[in-house]
Amino acid sequence: MGTTSVTVTTNHFFPLELSPRADESRILNEDYAATSDAVYYRQFVIRGARPLPHNVVLRVLPLPAGKTEGGSSARRSDYAVYGEQVFYNGENVEGADADSFQALFLEDPGENSFDYYFTELARDKSRLYWEGRMLDDSKPAAIEVVDSKYIKEGNHLWYVGGGDIGLVLNELPESLGGGFYRSRYTSPSGESYSRIQRSDELSDGRHKLVSLPLRMTEGDEFRVLPAGCPVRDGFMAGHPGLYCGPFEYRPATEFGRTKSRVFLADKPVPVADVDSFQIISVDHYDYGGFAYAQAIDGHSMYLFRDGGSNSVAIQGQVLGPIPSPYGNFLLLADAANIYDLTGWHFALGSDDLCRYEDSSSTRGLKLLERAEGRDGHPYIVLGNKEYQYVFYANPGGKENPGHAIDLRTGQRLRLAARPPEEPCGPL
């Protein structure tokens, strides 16, 4: 009995950003399209790209053939040329010369060439590019693969690893604090610009400098963000109910910003309001690496972790016992709820905090009291018409005596649950 092979093709349809009319769209190829106002990569608008007349063809650049391919290759690169514009996977390639731009396929010159090859590189008449980003001060002529981690060109050595490429140097450039560095370069057109970089130390003691994905004009406007807390314990600017103290022991954070974006180390992070964005606190692992951070702007509260972030929209004035000496939690409250930003939870909102009567006990909270307390046990009280939440400090590792109070009955309730031994309920 014979068998039948069936091929199933699944098509996924997504609406285009800005919702243009179908009769206004021109297909440039299977990934790119244009309207009279914008250029699209798949369903997204390419920021800064210019739509061109109908007779201009978008060309996807081919990858050169490898040594084992007999001098021909049908593979395509991730680079495309559209008039005087060059794109990499739908991103503008800043500073590129379209007429001389070409994708590269580099491989180790030895017999085992298939072991070491790089397809992310490209060049024009002036510079090299990696994944659409200019390699500053690079020379496009003499390029060689040293091994699976290193590429050499001119007087520069580049380290490739972890999805990034970094310039290898013996000495670090100007330090901005927070692990950020600034180097100055000259563009192919002769204009001076600065590049913001992060450093990793290689096993031989040299430094790998990885550039942040900033435009040339953004380097000079970049600044490292300090902690948002005042020098002495007090209230955070713009948030009169948000009390905090100087955090940790570092004068600068791993956060930086330009006029339009916020960065955590070398990656941009989603922020609603860049102008009002402030760091509440940053915590590090024992070896010094970033663990998690809490932040706030005029619209949202944020919890950043190594590997992701969460946010919640602010509803009314933000109140809070900041930082954790006001209890075992780093908690903030607004008119809707109490949120846990300790960093040990993957999302905002604690499963441990007790909420009574279908969570209504944590709604509409206001700052009722803040005091030093007795025997060095400062506390803060948040409350509404039915409930009060009392958060005490946790000096010397003593058990946190925090509790909730039902104002209608006077009954003291658990502040947080530690299931299964201590569920929410009366103390």
Side-chain angles (χ1 to χ4, degrees):
M1 185 175 180
T3 59
T4 302
S5 296
V6 177
T7 300
V8 178
T9 301
T10 302
N11 295 305
H12 299 271
F13 297 94
F14 302 94
L16 293 184
E17 194 176 356
L18 303 182
S19 302
R21 292 193 347 230
D23 59 357
E24 293 178 341
S25 302
R26 291 183 285 121
I27 304 301
L28 302 177
N29 75 352
E30 58 264 40
D31 289 319
Y32 290 87
T35 66
S36 58
D37 300 317
V39 181
Y40 288 83
Y41 178 72
R42 298 175 182 172
Q43 72 263 38
F44 301 109
V45 172
I46 303 176
R47 305 305 173 191
R50 304 180 310 278
L52 299 176
H54 288 230
N55 60 338
V56 178
V57 176
L58 181 139
R59 296 184 296 112
V60 176
L61 300 182
L63 274 177
K67 293 182 174 60
T68 61
E69 295 176 302
S72 63
S73 171
R75 293 172 302 169
R76 304 191 311 167
S77 75
D78 292 319
Y79 292 95
V81 172
Y82 183 47
E84 296 180 351
Q85 305 169 92
V86 180
F87 304 133
Y88 175 82
N89 282 342
E91 296 287 338
N92 259 313
V93 181
E94 186 183 26
D97 176 72
D99 291 337
S100 61
F101 201 90
Q102 59 182 149
L104 299 177
F105 181 80
L106 298 186
E107 42 188 352
D108 177 67
E111 294 181 1
N112 296 322
S113 61
F114 57 90
D115 288 338
Y116 312 142
Y117 62 89
F118 302 93
T119 62
E120 300 87 351
L121 275 164
R123 68 180 171 195
D124 62 15
K125 63 182 181 181
S126 302
R127 294 287 186 267
L128 288 171
Y129 299 82
W130 175 272
E131 293 186 348
R133 292 159 60 184
M134 180 188 296
L135 299 186
D136 303 296
D137 202 32
S138 57
K139 306 296 187 293
I143 317 166
E144 62 177 288
V145 176
V146 178
D147 57 30
S148 62
K149 294 293 184 183
Y150 291 95
I151 296 172
K152 184 177 181 181
E153 53 79 24
N155 296 324
H156 299 137
L157 186 65
W158 301 87
Y159 181 92
V160 181
D164 281 316
I165 187 168
L167 180 63
V168 179
L169 294 176
N170 294 321
E171 302 292 336
L172 288 170
E174 173 195 1
S175 174
L176 303 178
F180 294 98
Y181 298 87
R182 174 180 277 126
S183 297
R184 299 211 69 87
Y185 298 101
T186 302
S187 71
S189 60
E191 299 172 347
S192 175
Y193 68 97
S194 66
R195 191 71 80 186
I196 307 302
Q197 299 151 322
R198 300 282 299 182
S199 172
D200 287 325
E201 186 171 330
L202 300 175
S203 59
D204 60 5
R206 292 182 296 178
H207 307 279
K208 180 186 78 167
L209 283 178
V210 176
S211 296
L212 273 64
L214 296 171
R215 296 182 295 274
M216 293 182 192
T217 56
E218 291 182 292
D220 286 333
E221 67 185 44
F222 183 89
R223 63 183 180 88
V224 181
L225 292 178
C229 295
V231 176
R232 298 179 181 275
D233 287 11
F235 294 94
M236 180 173 285
H239 301 280
L242 184 53
Y243 187 85
C244 61
F247 82 87
E248 273 196 6
Y249 48 86
R250 306 187 183 204
T253 72
E254 291 91 340
F255 288 83
R257 59 158 290 190
T258 64
K259 293 178 180 178
S260 60
R261 291 189 287 175
V262 172
F263 286 80
L264 170 55
D266 61 341
K267 300 292 189 296
V269 292
V271 169
D273 186 355
V274 174
D275 289 336
S276 64
F277 182 82
Q278 298 179 78
I279 306 299
I280 298 171
S281 182
V282 179
D283 287 276
H284 298 85
Y285 295 115
D286 291 340
Y287 67 85
F290 172 83
Y292 54 88
Q294 303 82 23
I296 192 169
D297 62 22
H299 300 279
S300 301
M301 294 181 283
Y302 301 89
L303 171 62
F304 297 99
R305 297 176 57 88
D306 183 14
S309 66
N310 297 95
S311 65
V312 62
I314 292 173
Q315 300 184 52
Q317 183 183 10
V318 176
L319 312 166
I322 305 296
S324 55
Y326 288 103
N328 277 336
F329 313 98
L330 181 49
L331 293 170
L332 298 181
D334 63 9
N337 215 331
I338 294 179
Y339 305 96
D340 177 16
L341 278 77
T342 57
W344 302 115
H345 300 272
F346 283 94
L348 292 170
S350 169
D351 293 333
D352 299 330
L353 187 71
C354 290
R355 297 175 174 87
Y356 298 95
E357 296 189 21
D358 298 324
S359 300
S360 64
S361 59
T362 60
R363 292 177 185 160
L365 294 170
K366 296 180 180 180
L367 176 62
L368 302 181
E369 186 178 0
R370 189 189 306 277
E372 290 303 317
R374 299 177 181 177
D375 302 322
H377 286 217
Y379 65 88
I380 182 173
V381 182
L382 307 177
N384 53 31
K385 293 181 179 180
E386 290 82 25
Y387 290 87
Q388 289 183 359
Y389 282 81
V390 183
F391 301 94
Y392 280 90
N394 188 32
K398 296 180 182 179
E399 183 179 358
N400 176 16
H403 57 274
I405 303 173
D406 186 335
L407 297 177
R408 297 162 296 184
T409 64
Q411 188 174 36
R412 286 161 55 94
L413 308 168
R414 292 193 187 279
L415 179 70
R418 295 175 179 84
E421 296 86 3
E422 299 179 1
C424 291
L427 282 171

